[in-house]
Amino acid sequence: MSRHRIGFWYRFAAVIAKPPLLLLFRREWSGMEHIPRDGGFIAVVNHNSYLDPLSYAHFQYNTGRVPRFLAKVGLFKGGFVGFMMRKTGQIPVYRESADAIGAFRAAVQAIGKGECVVFYPEGTLTRDPEQWPMVGKTGAARVALLTRAPVVPVAQWGANEAVPPYAKTKRIRLFPRKTLKVQAGPPVDLSAYYDREPTAEVLREVTEVLMDAITEQLAEVRGEPVPAERFQYRRTRTRPEGGPADPGAGNHAGNGGNTTAHNAGAKAENGAETKGENA
């Protein structure tokens, strides 16, 4: 089993990013023993703050394994952030284009080389009013079934209190000092799906298994019960009377008493994006 070395640019990014993280935030980490010591693997993480990638990168970097995030291509295009994204080997996602499949090929190749690839299966910051994970997209499930690599579910909380998602006022709230909580759970057992044809229905089912695992970890972190329904985000172009265009709308998908949101008829979607900087 191979293990990818950290490399100069990732160490350089850590030198820049870790001091302010240590100064501005407290940490509450658990589950590092579930991060594989060797070999490629996938981390699937909930997303409720632009600060999430820095928080999770710090956590995983301290295990000796560096993450490669799938991130929207716009973050790679210029400036210092784009330079560091390229140098640290992050993977650009070209949403809704012919190049979109390239991100998944790159993810599969990275895992084959013994690296970790991080997916935010929701594909964007959660729109759930209570900031629970939404219905996920199927990109992580597709890569997981293809590579059969371990899939580690991860929950984050606290970054959303410092940099709230979609906040219109007080977008950065550093004080009082916040605690960045990260908890990794044991790898999700997907062996029952390995020999099945990866149809849209199977990919959706696997995605819901992954989202259930993330949500269970987050419930432990928050000390709250798992919600009975999962929020399903739908884009819309409707414009409320007298107001700006609504950037999105959603509803809660019922699940018959557990967190599995039934959406087998939906189109299988690929990709995950993160809108934060990586360290």
Side-chain angles (χ1 to χ4, degrees), residues 90-102:
Q90 309 313 311
I91 301 172
V93 176
Y94 300 81
R95 301 295 295 273
E96 300 177 357
S97 76
D99 295 325
I101 194 63

Side-chain angles (χ1 to χ4, degrees), residues 25-179:
F25 303 102
R26 294 185 292 267
R27 292 172 295 162
E28 191 174 304
W29 292 348
S30 61
M32 280 187 170
E33 68 274 13
H34 297 305
I35 300 297
R37 293 176 58 85
D38 300 285
F41 70 99
I42 297 166
V44 287
V45 191
N46 69 306
H47 196 14
N48 57 23
S49 173
Y50 294 119
L51 189 61
D52 284 341
L54 279 172
S55 177
Y56 181 67
H58 189 190
F59 171 86
Q60 191 174 307
Y61 183 88
N62 276 31
T63 71
R65 304 297 309 273
V66 297
R68 291 185 65 182
F69 291 87
L70 275 77
K72 63 179 184 177
V73 68
L75 292 173
F76 292 77
K77 289 186 175 180
F80 180 74
V81 171
F83 175 81
M84 292 304 297
M85 294 283 280
R86 295 190 297 273
K87 287 297 186 179
T88 55
Q90 309 313 311
I91 301 172
V93 176
Y94 300 81
R95 301 295 295 273
E96 300 177 357
S97 76
D99 295 325
I101 194 63
F104 296 95
R105 289 179 181 148
V108 170
Q109 290 172 357
I111 292 166
K113 293 177 182 177
E115 300 181 54
C116 165
V117 175
V118 179
F119 282 84
Y120 289 98
E122 297 162 270
T124 189
L125 291 167
T126 183
R127 295 274 184 171
D128 183 273
E130 301 299 324
Q131 299 187 36
W132 290 97
M134 302 185 295
V135 171
K137 298 184 179 182
T138 59
R142 189 181 300 275
V143 174
L145 294 184
L146 184 60
T147 62
R148 301 191 178 187
V151 183
V152 177
V154 179
Q156 297 189 123
W157 193 255
N160 54 307
E161 297 174 346
V163 185
Y166 308 112
K168 292 181 171 57
T169 60
K170 296 183 67 175
R171 296 180 180 180
I172 299 178
R173 307 171 187 178
L174 298 180
F175 302 102
R177 197 170 178 230
K178 308 299 190 295
T179 299

Side-chain angles (χ1 to χ4, degrees), residues 11 31 35 39 48 74 88 123 163 184 198 218-219 227 229 237 239 253:
R11 293 185 187 278
I35 300 297
N48 57 23
T88 55
V163 185
L218 185 57
E229 298 177 330
R237 295 182 181 179
R239 184 183 297 272

